Amino acid sequence: MTAVSPPAGSPSTPSPSLPPERDSRRRAAGVAAMVGSGLSNQTGAAIGSLAFPVLGPVGVVAVRQYVAALVLLAVGRPRPWSFTRRQWGPVLLLAVVFGTMNLSLYTAIDRIGLGLAVTLEFLGPLTLALASARRRVDACCAVIAAAGAVTLMRPQPSTDYLGMGLGLLAAVCWAAYILLNRTVGRRLPGAQGSAAAAVVSALVFLPVGVALVLRQPPTASAVGCAVVAGVLSSAVPYLADLLTLRHVPPAAFGLFMSVNPVLAALVGWIGLGQGLGLVDWTAVTAVVLANALSILAPGRR
């Protein structure tokens, strides 16, 4: 679940000098990348959940952190020996938040299902966006999102409050992840900071992987599912988002990001048999609608 910002100084919209046909092709490529990124992310989480019976959420997250570290290490090429204390501070915090975000999300998926877990996690960036706004429509959007969240967490005989709480913890971590990434991006060039944070997070999870192997050697299929989850939920979305932000305006990118809870619910329903009731679908739609209204309403900066 990684959101990427456009590189400083790079255009986020196609150049006006481009011919209309080429402009349309670039936008179509951007839309295709967004669709692929969203589906890849949620499909990866669903495939990763298949390894829960053998590895548990902690083991799957450990493998995902390893894959993310390898990908970002290749892309960012960090030089940690040159980092100052002022640069290391947010990098280490980002590493903690990165690991906690994925661990809480995957544990929530294990307890309450993919669709509800991702919807609750999405409240993090949505709250962050609404908190920085000063328009009446944003206040209305906040009410809609809050109503959707309360509906999802309504008391029922089968309600898993720990799973709900972990989903909200993932939301808090995602909001912190966005803020820390901005700080790291200002203090370190390129993707060096994010890459270093991913490597530190992977090193923290290294003892977890060793302990799992020593306690009970995992099956090849379980490890394969975890690796596929890391590729589909870390590598593919990261690279796809870099492509997308070069061809699609940021507002359109943010609007599509809000569809992720719906994609998660559909993937969970089709791939894992995790069906949602009408009330839950309504709540998920309310959260998505709140973000869409906030982005599409006139006057947004």
Side-chain angles (χ1 to χ4, degrees):
M1 308 286 176
T2 305
V4 187
S5 299
S10 65
S12 57
T13 56
S15 171
S17 60
L18 289 176
E21 297 80 5
R22 186 177 177 186
D23 189 3
S24 299
R25 286 197 298 270
R26 292 183 63 178
R27 286 181 178 270
V31 171
M34 285 192 293
V35 174
S37 174
L39 286 176
S40 176
N41 202 349
Q42 307 312 328
T43 302
I47 293 174
S49 69
L50 299 177
F52 287 170
V54 177
L55 299 176
V58 178
V60 174
V61 170
V63 175
R64 174 175 171 173
Q65 298 302 97
Y66 306 153
V67 174
L70 290 174
V71 172
L72 286 173
L73 193 61
V75 174
R77 299 180 181 180
R79 297 185 292 274
W81 55 86
S82 66
F83 291 4
T84 65
R85 180 178 299 180
R86 182 172 177 272
Q87 292 171 329
W88 267 117
V91 166
L92 294 177
L93 285 175
L94 183 61
V96 172
V97 167
F98 186 36
T100 305
M101 176 177 67
N102 286 329
L103 182 57
S104 56
L105 174 64
Y106 274 60
T107 308
I109 291 173
D110 186 36
R111 301 182 69 96
I112 62 176
L114 181 62
L116 295 186
V118 171
T119 301
L120 291 174
E121 185 201 29
F122 185 73
L123 292 175
L126 175 57
T127 301
L128 195 64
L130 294 177
S132 63
R134 296 293 183 271
R135 303 173 305 169
R136 291 182 180 178
V137 67
D138 293 307
C140 295
C141 291
V143 172
I144 294 173
V150 170
T151 303
L152 287 174
M153 302 181 69
R154 67 194 185 281
Q156 296 183 88
S158 59
T159 298
D160 188 327
Y161 289 105
L162 178 57
M164 297 285 189
L166 289 168
L168 293 177
L169 175 60
V172 173
C173 288
W174 196 359
Y177 179 84
I178 294 171
L179 295 174
L180 284 169
N181 255 319
R182 291 176 182 172
T183 302
V184 169
R186 286 194 295 266
R187 297 185 185 182
L188 285 163
Q192 285 196 52
S194 298
V199 171
V200 171
S201 182
L203 290 175
V204 171
F205 276 90
L206 188 58
V208 175
V210 173
L212 286 172
V213 171
L214 293 178
R215 187 187 65 183
Q216 179 182 356
T219 63
S221 60
V223 174
C225 286
V227 170
V228 170
V231 172
L232 294 182
S233 296
S234 295
V236 173
Y238 181 80
L239 298 176
D241 290 349
L242 286 179
L243 171 65
T244 299
L245 286 165
R246 284 168 171 76
H247 304 310
V248 176
F253 179 79
L255 180 60
F256 186 84
M257 285 290 290
S258 70
V259 182
N260 271 284
V262 176
L263 291 176
L266 289 173
V267 170
W269 174 42
I270 297 172
L272 302 174
Q274 299 172 347
L276 297 179
L278 178 59
V279 175
D280 291 326
W281 271 111
T282 303
V284 170
T285 303
V287 173
V288 173
L289 181 63
N291 190 72
L293 288 176
S294 178
I295 292 175
L296 294 177
R300 184 179 179 87
R301 291 187 302 169

